[in-house]
Every structure is written in C-alpha cells, then in structure tokens.
Amino acid sequence: MRYAICFLITCLINTLCWAGGEGKISFTAVTETAGLEFHHVDGRSGQRYFLETVGSGAAFFDYDGNGLIDIYLVNSTDLPGFSSLTPPTNRLYRNNGDGTFIDVTEQAGVGDTGYGAGCAVADYDNDGNLDLYVTNFGANVLYRNNGDGTFTDVTEHAAVGDNRWSLGCAFADYDNDGFVDLYVTNYIDFHFETHTNCTQKGVATYCPPESFEGLPDTLYRNNGDGTFTDVTTTAGVYNEDGKGMGIVFGDYDNDGDSDCYVGNDAGENFLYQNNGDGTFTNVGWMAGVEADENGNVQGTMGVDFGDYDNDGLLDLIAINYQQQPNALYRNDNGDFFTDLSFAVGMAESLPYVGWGVDFFDVDNDGDKDLLIANGHLQDTVEKYDDTTTYPQHNYLLINNGHGHFTNEWMNAGSGLQSRKVSRGIATGDYDNDGDLDVLISNANDTPQLLRNDSENQSNWILIRTIGTRSNRAGIGTRIKIQTDDLTQIDEVRGGSGYLSQNDLRLHFGIGTHKRIDHIEVRWPSGIVDVIRDVAPNQIITIKESGTQ
C-alpha cells in the first residue's frame, strides 16, 4: 500500500510538471516489427540459484562496417533442474536499413551457448573490423571479426578465457600504446554443490550477495600480436574485496589517460586512477566515490561517466539496490567528487533496484539525460515487502540544464510504459535519423527495442572516429564540440553501464544552434585534431591526422 501511494503521488507530480511543457519526447516499442525474435533464458527451476538474478547485457555495434548499427543480445542457458526445448544462445541481428533486422547468428558464428552475462566491442587487432568479447559463468569468449560477415573464436589463442563468473567488461587503451586492453569484472565464487536456500519473513528468496565470497577482477594488456597478458597484480588492480558488476573507463582527471571506475555489489566501489606508467591507484575513498555521502557502501550494478553539467569534467553515476539512492557524483575539480544524489533528483529511486544506465542526450538540447533500467532481484519480493515490486518501470531522467533531473517516463511515449525485470541497456541511433534509440535486455523475457520518435527540431551531429597512431576504433578519444556558448565533451567507450555496449559513434545534440564552431578531437596518442565550422544534422567520420 505504501508503495502504491508513493507511486501515485509521483505520477501526479510528474504529470503536473509536464503539463506546462511541450511533451515532445516519445519512444515507440518496435521489437516485434523490427524482427528481434529473442527470449532471455536464465534457467530457473525453482531452486533459486543466485546465477539467475543478474540478467544480461546487449550491444549496438556496426559489425559489418556498412554504417548501420547492428544488435547483439547475450543469453544465459539451462541450469540443473531446467531443460529448454531449444538450447538458448546469444544472437546477432544485422540491420537491414529499413527499420528491420535479420538474425545472422549462425552465419556469423557468434552464437555462444554459455551462461552469458555481458559484452563489449573494440577493434583489438586494429584491422578495421569491430571484435566482440562476451563474459560468462564459465569461460569468457573473444570473437575476432574476419571482415567478411563472420567471426572466429580466438579465446584460447588470445588467452582471455577466464573460467570464473565474470559480469562486466570494457576495452580501453590504458597505456596509450595504440592497442586496446581489456578489463573484466568478476563477481562471486558460486558453486552449485554449496548452494543453500534462504528466506525472508518466511518467504523463499535468493540468498543475498553478502552470503558469497567475492572474486578479484582481471586486467589484460594487449600485446599487439593478437594475444593478451594478465597484468592484474602488476598494474595495481588486484583486489579480493570486490564483487564486480559494472565498469566504465574515462579520463576523469583530464590528464590524457584512461581511468577506471568499478561498481561492486555490497562493497565499496573502486576508482582506479591511471598513474601514466602502466599502473593504477585505487583513489575511490579519497575522491569520495567509494560509497554514499555518509560512507555507507551500496549494492552497485551499473556505472557510467558523463559530463551532465557541461563544465568539461566527467561526472559519475552509480546505480544501486533498493533503499539505496542512485548516486550521482559531481566531479568538482578533477580530484574530488560530491555526492549530489538527493539534490539532483535521485530520491525517487529508493523503492527500485537499478541496473543499466547511460548518460545520453535524448532530446538533442545539448545536455546529458539519464536512462536507468530497473527490476528487482527477488521474484517473491511482493509477498513480504509492500513498498516495491518485482517488475518495475524504467526511468527516463531529463536534465533541465541547471543541475536537476526530472523522471519523465510516464510522458515519454508508449515504449516506456511497460513494467519489466530490466537489466542491461544500450543506446545508439540505429535508424540514423539523428536521435538516440534504446535497446533494453530483460531478465527471463523478451528485449525491448525503443525507437526515438520525439517530435523536436533540435540539431545534432554523430561522429565516428578512426585512429591511426591510436587504436583503430578510437576508443578513449575525447571529443569537445563548441557551439556559441555551449561546450560539450564525451569519450568513445568500449563497454559501459551494466554489461552492455553503446554505439561507438558519439552523438551530440546542439539544440537550435545552426553551426558548430569547432570540434576538438584528443586522441589517446596525444594528437589533437580540430575541425572548424561544421554543419549539424549529419554523420561525419574523423580520422586521426598523425601529427601533433
């Protein structure tokens, strides 16, 4: 009852606030018409193995290089006591360019049948084709893109097939040598033979993450010859206290190298500052992002970097468990962050369990909004807790440009009205019309492809990067665009949020501005390219010049 009352009050407030606005944001669910015939299988049989709770991620990426972003969906598989009629597999869907997709999994050779979790994309061998990494409970998989519509499993040769339970993964060139490296978050040490049953108020539940021992993460350095070396210990990121979930790289201190933020479940989060010599230092507690403003650790799932206040510094978002507000950390000076969760409008998240997250400009007005995927962990929660639900609405938090977000999911079209048990999300412009669309992975359910049909005339630009001295996909590249008094930054990322991959092309909305004064591109190599007087409303490719 308390949840229902709070929900109705929130709905009324949002409706009243929106009544004075233009109501232009609209998402339409097009999953079926687009041809995405996929169903996530978590293998649940009633035993409540903890594996079943975390769901999986998704990716938007142009695997065939034709300028249209394709879709990859990660699946899990059967567990003891459950048997599918057809073995579940991950699926790859090629974009036909007409709003539909076709399943090319078999032809492409990427139908992994493991108990899947996350994925990330990069061109690890700098051959011009985007490769794919998938995390599992069990051996992870690296697929090398052959450039002809097919992939080859090169996990064993590359030496990146960790057999532990891995969740998040991200590519970044942390040592700026021109080859992307790979960070993998490992979760908990789960074994079927030691599985136990748990209850809350007499109701059968999944055991909490505190019941399990965590696992240290893994950092692989790219050797430049198709292989990787585990440098976790020597690089300073070995930590037995983590239960890693989300991961994101970003240059939060503006010193030209990629730092790393790891969200841990039921423990402090890690902010690994890149020392510039191949090593990292965990400065999370010093920077103020290891816990909330009161020092309380949280159950963090998804994480992302984004400059929500357009001050040239990357801020942080950490998405948390029920009764723990989603944490927005404002980057104050490149050294310290301030937890502004309640001040910017995150209090509404308390009844929810958040997972996927992305900073993105949904309305092309020149500031970053937030999309948050929600869904409870406990499928029986409504039997013992009347403040929440198992399926939940996802959040669309609109940035007002003055440091505050308003949840507008109720007013953003039919695509955001359904309640699901959502996990990973990816954003990208799959129809190349200038606004960002959304792909949501739902646990034990079908995904949602949401087409952005917002009725606005705001201008935009979409930028693809090609490195020459830097890694070929330009991962880690910082782009700054200047339009009159509006300055924005963003970086190309190989994996972020919760177990997912956004379109590698960077999207900027510029509102009603008619021209972009200049675009500054800072490559991982240190080269800076500048392009002046650029017309908006187009997709452009920027290639690294090769000169400093």
Side-chain angles (χ1 to χ4, degrees):
M1 180 61 70
R2 284 179 292 163
Y3 171 76
I5 292 173
C6 291
F7 176 74
L8 289 173
I9 292 173
T10 299
C11 292
L12 178 61
I13 292 173
N14 283 340
T15 302
L16 291 174
C17 290
W18 189 261
E22 297 179 347
K24 293 180 179 178
I25 299 173
S26 181
F27 284 95
T28 304
V30 295
T31 313
E32 293 183 5
T33 57
L36 300 182
E37 297 180 354
F38 178 88
H39 194 288
H40 179 259
V41 175
D42 60 19
R44 64 180 63 193
S45 64
Q47 297 298 317
R48 289 193 169 81
Y49 296 117
F50 194 70
L51 288 174
E52 302 162 12
T53 63
V54 299
S56 64
F60 271 134
F61 79 114
D62 183 7
Y63 86 94
D64 52 2
N66 67 350
L68 299 168
I69 57 173
D70 311 295
I71 286 174
Y72 192 72
L73 291 162
V74 180
N75 213 337
S76 300
T77 192
D78 298 347
L79 296 178
F82 181 89
S83 180
S84 301
L85 295 177
T86 302
T89 64
N90 301 346
R91 312 301 296 182
L92 176 64
Y93 295 89
R94 188 184 68 222
N95 191 332
N96 295 321
D98 59 0
T100 67
F101 294 77
I102 184 170
D103 188 337
V104 294
T105 310
E106 186 174 347
Q107 303 96 298
V110 290
D112 185 43
T113 57
Y115 200 93
C119 58
V121 169
D123 184 358
Y124 82 92
D125 52 1
N126 289 341
D127 67 351
N129 305 305
L130 294 177
D131 310 298
L132 174 67
Y133 190 75
V134 180
T135 60
N136 289 309
F137 173 71
N140 302 328
V141 182
L142 176 62
Y143 290 109
R144 180 174 59 82
N145 191 329
N146 300 319
D148 58 2
T150 68
F151 292 77
T152 299
D153 182 344
V154 295
T155 312
E156 185 175 353
H157 173 72
V160 290
D162 199 320
N163 285 304
R164 295 172 293 179
W165 186 6
S166 301
L167 290 182
C169 54
F171 287 99
D173 184 5
Y174 79 90
D175 51 2
N176 288 345
D177 67 348
F179 293 92
V180 288
D181 311 294
L182 175 63
Y183 192 110
V184 179
T185 66
N186 295 310
Y187 190 35
I188 63 173
D189 190 19
F190 176 84
H191 301 277
F192 290 108
E193 55 270 27
T194 57
H195 168 70
T196 58
N197 297 312
C198 292
T199 62
Q200 290 198 41
K201 297 182 179 180
V203 177
T205 62
Y206 292 96
C207 293
E210 292 87 348
S211 303
F212 305 93
E213 295 294 324
L215 295 170
D217 299 334
T218 307
L219 176 62
Y220 298 102
R221 188 189 66 230
N222 191 330
N223 298 320
D225 60 0
T227 68
F228 291 77
T229 298
D230 183 342
V231 294
T232 310
T233 301
T234 56
V237 296
Y238 182 87
N239 196 321
E240 294 183 348
D241 295 330
K243 294 176 181 175
M245 301 192 86
I247 175 176
V248 62
F249 279 91
D251 184 7
Y252 81 90
D253 52 4
N254 288 354
D255 65 350
D257 49 38
S258 292
D259 310 295
C260 177
Y261 188 62
V262 178
N264 290 301
D265 198 0
E268 69 176 53
N269 297 330
F270 305 147
L271 177 60
Y272 289 117
Q273 184 180 53
N274 193 327
N275 299 320
D277 60 1
T279 68
F280 294 83
T281 300
N282 182 13
V283 297
W285 67 274
M286 290 186 290
V289 294
E290 90 290 2
D292 68 13
E293 61 181 350
N294 298 314
N296 300 313
V297 297
Q298 300 161 313
T300 299
M301 275 70 86
V303 296
D304 198 22
F305 277 116
D307 183 12
Y308 83 94
D309 51 3
N310 286 338
D311 66 349
L313 296 166
L314 292 176
D315 310 295
L316 269 170
I317 183 80
I319 304 304
N320 298 316
Y321 195 72
Q322 181 187 359
Q323 299 304 320
Q324 301 169 351
N326 293 331
L328 182 66
Y329 300 103
R330 186 189 64 204
N331 190 335
D332 293 329
N333 56 10
D335 292 315
F336 305 104
F337 293 77
T338 299
D339 183 349
L340 296 180
S341 304
F342 288 100
V344 300
M346 297 292 167
E348 191 178 334
S349 68
L350 288 172
Y352 290 76
V353 177
W355 301 81
V357 63
D358 186 39
F359 278 111
F360 76 129
D361 188 354
V362 66
D363 49 7
N364 287 352
D365 66 349
D367 52 42
K368 294 288 191 293
D369 310 296
L370 282 166
L371 181 69
I372 298 174
N374 296 312
H376 214 282
L377 182 150
Q378 301 289 357
D379 59 354
T380 56
V381 66
E382 292 162 64
K383 294 182 179 180
Y384 60 86
D385 184 351
D386 64 0
T387 69
T388 190
T389 58
Y390 181 50
Q392 298 176 345
H393 288 103
N394 295 325
Y395 277 4
L396 179 63
L397 301 178
I398 302 302
N399 189 336
N400 71 356
H402 302 287
H404 194 274
F405 293 85
T406 301
N407 189 8
E408 298 290 359
W409 68 265
M410 287 186 61
N411 310 290
S414 59
L416 282 173
Q417 303 312 305
S418 60
R419 295 195 310 162
K420 300 279 187 177
V421 184
S422 297
R423 295 297 187 252
I425 60 172
T427 59
D429 187 3
Y430 82 86
D431 49 5
N432 285 344
D433 66 349
D435 50 35
L436 290 175
D437 311 296
V438 174
L439 178 63
I440 304 174
S441 174
N442 298 306
N444 210 40
D445 199 350
T446 55
Q448 293 165 280
L449 179 61
L450 305 182
R451 187 182 62 214
N452 191 336
D453 290 331
S454 301
E455 298 177 358
N456 68 67
Q457 301 301 316
S458 296
N459 297 318
W460 54 274
I461 193 161
L462 199 60
I463 303 172
R464 178 190 176 212
T465 54
I466 298 178
T468 54
R469 289 180 57 182
S470 301
N471 69 87
R472 182 66 178 265
I475 288 173
T477 300
R478 165 77 65 91
I479 292 183
K480 178 170 70 174
I481 72 167
Q482 179 75 44
T483 305
D484 294 333
D485 58 349
L486 175 63
T487 303
Q488 302 177 67
I489 65 166
D490 204 353
E491 294 182 1
V492 183
R493 296 185 181 90
S496 63
Y498 181 70
L499 316 185
S500 297
Q501 173 70 58
N502 299 321
D503 183 4
L504 287 173
R505 302 175 301 180
L506 291 187
H507 168 273
F508 296 91
I510 60 170
T512 59
H513 296 287
K514 304 299 183 183
R515 303 290 294 181
I516 299 171
D517 296 332
H518 72 266
I519 300 174
E520 180 182 292
V521 184
R522 189 192 74 190
W523 301 90
S525 65
I527 291 171
V528 177
D529 291 317
V530 177
I531 304 173
R532 302 185 187 279
D533 193 23
V534 180
N537 304 326
Q538 61 172 320
I539 302 170
I540 67 172
T541 297
I542 300 178
K543 188 173 183 179
E544 187 176 13
S545 67
T547 58
Q548 290 183 285

